[in-house]
Amino acid sequence: MKTYEFYAKPVNGIIEIPEDYREDIVDNVKVIIIGTETEQKDRQEASKRRKTASLTPPTLKTKGWKFNREEANER
C-alpha cells in the first residue's frame, strides 16, 4: 500500500487528485482530511467573533441605585 500526501483546496465538496498521482490512484482509497493550521485558526477566530457578538454588555445603568433586601423582594 502506497501513501500519498498533497495539499488541496476543496471546491464544492470535491478534492481533486493532482495529475502526478492520477495514474497510481485508480482503485478505492481511504481519505483522511486534516485541516491546516491557518484553516483551524480562521475557524477559531470566527467562532470567537460569533460568541463576542452575541454577548453584549448590559445597557441598564445601575450606578447610584441602592436596594435593601425587602425592596429587592418586592420587585
Side-chain angles (χ1 to χ4, degrees):
M1 176 169 63
K2 290 185 177 182
T3 303
Y4 302 93
E5 181 177 332
F6 56 90
Y7 290 93
K9 184 173 184 173
V11 178
N12 294 327
I14 298 171
I15 298 173
E16 192 171 323
I17 297 172
E19 289 185 33
D20 297 347
Y21 304 128
R22 287 186 189 169
E23 291 182 16
D24 295 335
I25 304 173
V26 293
D27 205 355
N28 292 335
V29 296
K30 178 180 182 179
V31 178
I32 300 172
I33 299 174
I34 302 172
T36 62
E37 281 187 33
T38 304
E39 179 183 349
Q40 291 173 354
K41 286 181 183 177
D42 290 345
R43 286 187 180 179
Q44 288 173 349
E45 288 176 9
S47 176
K48 286 179 185 176
R49 283 193 300 270
R50 281 192 302 271
K51 288 179 185 175
T52 303
S54 65
L55 298 175
T56 57
T59 57
L60 182 64
K61 295 181 181 180
T62 58
K63 188 174 183 178
W65 284 14
K66 294 184 181 179
F67 292 103
N68 63 29
R69 188 170 285 193
E70 290 173 8
E71 280 185 61
N73 288 334
E74 287 176 10
R75 294 175 187 254

